[in-house]
Amino acid sequence: MNCVPQDCLRAFGMLCFAQMVMSMVIPNSTHLEAILDKYTDKDDEWWTSKHRGKRAITDGDMHLILDLHNKLRGQVYPQASNMEYMVWDAELERSSEHWAHSCLWEHGPQHMLTQIGQNLGAHWGRDRPPTFHVQAWYDEVRDYSYPYPQECNPHCPFRCSGPVCTHYTQMVWATSSRIGCAINVCYNMNVWGMIWTKAVYLVCNYSPPGNWWGHAPYKHGRPCSACPPSYGGGCKDNLCYAENGVERRPAPELEETNYIEPEPQPEPRSRTQPLTALSSDNVERNEVVSTVQMCQQMDCETKLRDRCKGTTCNRYECPPGCLSSPGKVIGSGYYDMQSSVCGAGLHAGIIDNDGGWLDITRQGRKPHFSKSYKNGIQSLGMNRSANAFKVFSVPVKAVTCETTVAQFCPFKTPVRHCPRLYCPRNCLHETRARVIGTQYYFDKSSICRAAIHAGVIQNHSGGYLDVQPVDKRREYTGSHQNTISSESLQNPSGGKAFRVFAVI
């Protein structure tokens, strides 16, 4: 182990590997009891050779592990709209068996780590069922804040210390729909420098792998409302499900809840009108939570021209499964406005069939559009002038409690894209950086404190948000929300404004 999660790469971007931070369970008891007799024979020859016909895991334990995964996947909070039902995979079981018999307390084999997800557990002493480790992986949810695991950043490699949550995110990665596990008892297993006698070693491999850096493990929404088309609308226990056409129901229509309506300017107040003082009771009650999003959810076939009317063409989220129905795509590199946004994102390689976020930039008129086949999408050509757009990935950046929009992402014309931002915890207490305005904030305000004031993030957890710089306002109205008193400002001589939006 010689890297921490943020140092490891997978195709298409950074990731936080469940593979790179291991779940170790060390019971306090030093009494050595009989350990998983169902996996071991009594003679010493078993430790050097295993009978070929012997399964890597019993049927009973296989069902316990699988059923617990599906139970926990169906109970995530906030709810998942695209969580897939998990099934057992014999090939993954065999690959887990191979690694479990290596008795190496590290992830591997190296050549497979880009193709699978992997969770590890080990214990010695008194007997424990394999579900003990599965539940321990899931219990990392206490250190995780949806949608991203950036705050879980243990120090590795000699001993991983600090909050770990990447086993949890791999367990609840919506598209990781296959699992295979194995159990082995290892003599003299070296676990971070300690020699464990007869260590019980659990290896679980997942496919497709999860834990892509900068992506949520699942999409939030009504259960089964964003399942891939291959499930045919089937749903079981809040999971996308299909079994020979049984237990299927019509796919629910996706709800569009994140369209940003233009908001009216606040009514101007007299310069001499004072702010109304709030009683302590009102201050305590004045809690605000905002779930308004800048990022618009798209269907696979939705054209940009149809979604740019009356709103800013900016950030979009595509559902999974668009390769099977990408809509019409016209152009290469830049695309005609009649093109499907998600289809263009697939063609450009910005997203894959798991869906994801992308940014749009208008390109004005282009004289012609060339056809090409890229990333499983055949685009069309067009030899006439039309309005065009380009697609880009959504970067994710961390900021400090004091960072302002004026410093980080000032307003420009044409409107620019700001990275998705991550605010640390405790910006309420660690700084007294100014917050000016309500809903619309002066661009010299602290981004993170403005986000707390707006109810987009919570002080104790920090989190992710989207920022939209806008032109300056004639007036910024102060208010007391979420224990922050923002300032008022009228007719500023310079500066611009911004809004903060939730990431759900």
Side-chain angles (χ1 to χ4, degrees):
M1 299 245 320
N2 54 10
C3 65
V4 295
Q6 289 84 341
D7 295 329
C8 305
L9 288 172
R10 193 180 270 168
F12 307 117
M14 299 294 291
L15 66 108
C16 191
F17 253 145
Q19 286 94 320
M20 290 299 157
V21 182
M22 294 172 282
S23 170
M24 181 176 69
V25 182
I26 308 176
N28 292 327
S29 172
T30 58
H31 176 66
L32 191 63
E33 300 175 6
I35 305 173
L36 295 184
D37 287 339
K38 57 195 169 189
Y39 292 104
T40 63
D41 299 325
K42 295 302 181 182
D43 56 23
D44 290 339
E45 292 182 2
W46 186 90
W47 298 100
T48 57
S49 65
K50 187 173 73 70
H51 299 298
R52 286 187 175 273
K54 195 164 184 176
R55 284 278 306 278
I57 192 167
T58 67
D59 284 338
D61 284 338
M62 176 190 74
H63 288 296
L64 283 173
I65 290 173
L66 184 60
D67 291 347
L68 184 56
H69 270 77
N70 279 320
K71 175 185 175 182
L72 296 173
R73 285 163 68 87
Q75 295 177 354
V76 294
Y77 182 82
Q79 289 184 314
S81 63
N82 67 327
M83 187 71 74
E84 299 182 32
Y85 186 86
M86 193 171 272
V87 297
W88 196 264
D89 187 286
E91 288 297 324
L92 290 173
E93 178 188 332
R94 280 191 283 272
S95 65
S96 296
E97 177 185 17
H98 170 77
W99 193 247
H101 280 270
S102 74
C103 291
L104 295 174
W105 184 237
E106 60 187 56
H107 288 281
Q110 286 296 320
H111 70 276
M112 289 191 64
L113 291 183
T114 58
Q115 306 165 39
I116 61 169
Q118 187 177 77
N119 280 346
L120 307 178
H123 72 270
W124 66 281
R126 61 189 177 90
D127 192 8
R128 294 181 184 273
T131 49
F132 174 83
H133 295 286
V134 176
Q135 187 65 55
W137 297 336
Y138 184 85
D139 288 345
E140 291 174 4
V141 67
R142 62 180 176 269
D143 291 314
Y144 176 75
S145 297
Y146 185 89
Y148 300 140
Q150 180 166 322
E151 59 269 38
C152 293
N153 182 16
H155 177 70
C156 296
F158 303 109
R159 287 177 187 273
C160 290
S161 61
V164 179
C165 59
T166 47
H167 302 93
Y168 164 76
T169 52
Q170 176 59 80
M171 277 188 67
V172 301
W173 202 268
T175 56
S176 292
S177 59
R178 300 193 302 278
I179 185 176
C181 303
I183 295 176
N184 186 33
V185 182
C186 298
Y187 262 148
N188 299 329
M189 185 174 176
N190 188 329
V191 179
W192 281 325
M194 295 178 290
I195 303 302
W196 289 9
T197 303
K198 289 188 177 180
V200 181
Y201 193 17
L202 171 66
V203 177
C204 285
N205 287 346
Y206 302 81
S207 182
N211 286 331
W212 295 95
W213 181 250
H215 287 256
Y218 57 84
K219 291 181 61 179
H220 169 53
R222 190 173 66 251
C224 300
S225 62
C227 294
S230 58
Y231 285 91
C235 187
K236 179 180 179 181
D237 299 327
N238 296 332
L239 304 174
C240 305
Y241 181 78
E243 183 180 5
N244 300 323
V246 180
E247 296 188 54
R248 294 189 178 184
R249 58 181 175 82
E253 294 183 3
L254 291 176
E255 294 182 354
E256 295 293 346
T257 59
N258 57 355
Y259 180 81
I260 304 168
E261 294 286 352
E263 298 189 18
Q265 297 275 346
E267 290 295 325
R269 297 187 308 167
S270 167
R271 292 191 180 205
T272 58
Q273 182 181 359
L275 287 174
T276 303
L278 299 172
S279 70
S280 59
D281 289 341
N282 288 335
V283 169
E284 291 299 321
R285 295 193 191 109
N286 197 18
E287 296 182 358
V288 176
V289 176
S290 173
T291 58
V292 178
Q293 298 183 72
M294 180 180 77
C295 184
Q296 298 185 56
Q297 293 179 349
M298 305 289 282
D299 293 329
C300 293
E301 299 182 4
T302 304
K303 301 173 184 177
L304 183 64
R305 181 175 181 179
D306 296 334
R307 284 308 278 278
C308 270
K309 297 176 180 178
T311 187
T312 303
C313 304
N314 201 322
R315 186 158 291 167
Y316 299 93
E317 182 180 6
C318 293
C322 287
L323 268 177
S324 61
S325 181
K328 182 168 63 175
V329 180
I330 303 170
S332 298
Y334 53 85
Y335 303 92
D336 176 61
M337 292 286 287
Q338 295 281 7
S339 298
S340 153
V341 175
C342 299
L346 287 167
H347 184 268
I350 301 302
I351 60 171
D352 57 20
N353 201 41
D354 290 337
W357 294 286
L358 49 82
D359 281 342
I360 295 296
T361 299
R362 299 284 293 271
Q363 297 290 301
R365 296 189 73 84
K366 297 290 184 181
H368 65 275
F369 299 82
S370 58
K371 66 179 181 180
S372 65
Y373 181 83
K374 293 181 179 179
N375 302 308
I377 301 293
Q378 176 64 60
S379 70
L380 305 175
M382 188 171 71
N383 290 317
R384 62 181 175 82
S385 176
N387 287 322
F389 68 93
K390 296 187 75 171
V391 289
F392 299 92
S393 60
V394 177
V396 180
K397 301 289 185 181
V399 294
T400 68
C401 297
E402 293 80 15
T403 303
T404 68
V405 168
Q407 297 168 331
F408 191 81
C409 188
F411 174 80
K412 293 183 179 179
T413 303
V415 176
R416 63 182 297 188
H417 297 295
C418 293
R420 179 157 286 172
L421 303 181
Y422 175 77
C423 288
R425 295 182 176 96
N426 295 324
C427 284
L428 184 64
H429 306 297
E430 293 187 1
T431 179
R432 290 189 172 275
R434 300 174 70 187
V435 178
I436 304 168
T438 300
Q439 195 172 53
Y440 286 85
Y441 298 93
F442 191 48
D443 68 353
K444 293 180 176 56
S445 302
S446 158
I447 297 172
C448 297
R449 284 172 58 82
I452 296 171
H453 181 267
V456 168
I457 62 173
Q458 293 182 320
N459 174 64
H460 71 273
S461 60
Y464 291 81
L465 56 94
D466 283 328
V467 170
Q468 186 179 55
V470 296
D471 209 349
K472 68 179 180 180
R473 313 281 289 182
R474 289 181 299 174
E475 180 181 18
Y476 299 89
T477 304
S479 64
H480 187 95
Q481 295 179 173
N482 300 320
T483 70
I484 292 180
S485 292
S486 67
E487 304 173 40
S488 296
L489 180 65
Q490 291 186 343
N491 297 318
S493 58
K496 303 294 183 179
F498 69 95
R499 295 188 64 191
V500 288
F501 295 94
V503 174
I504 298 176

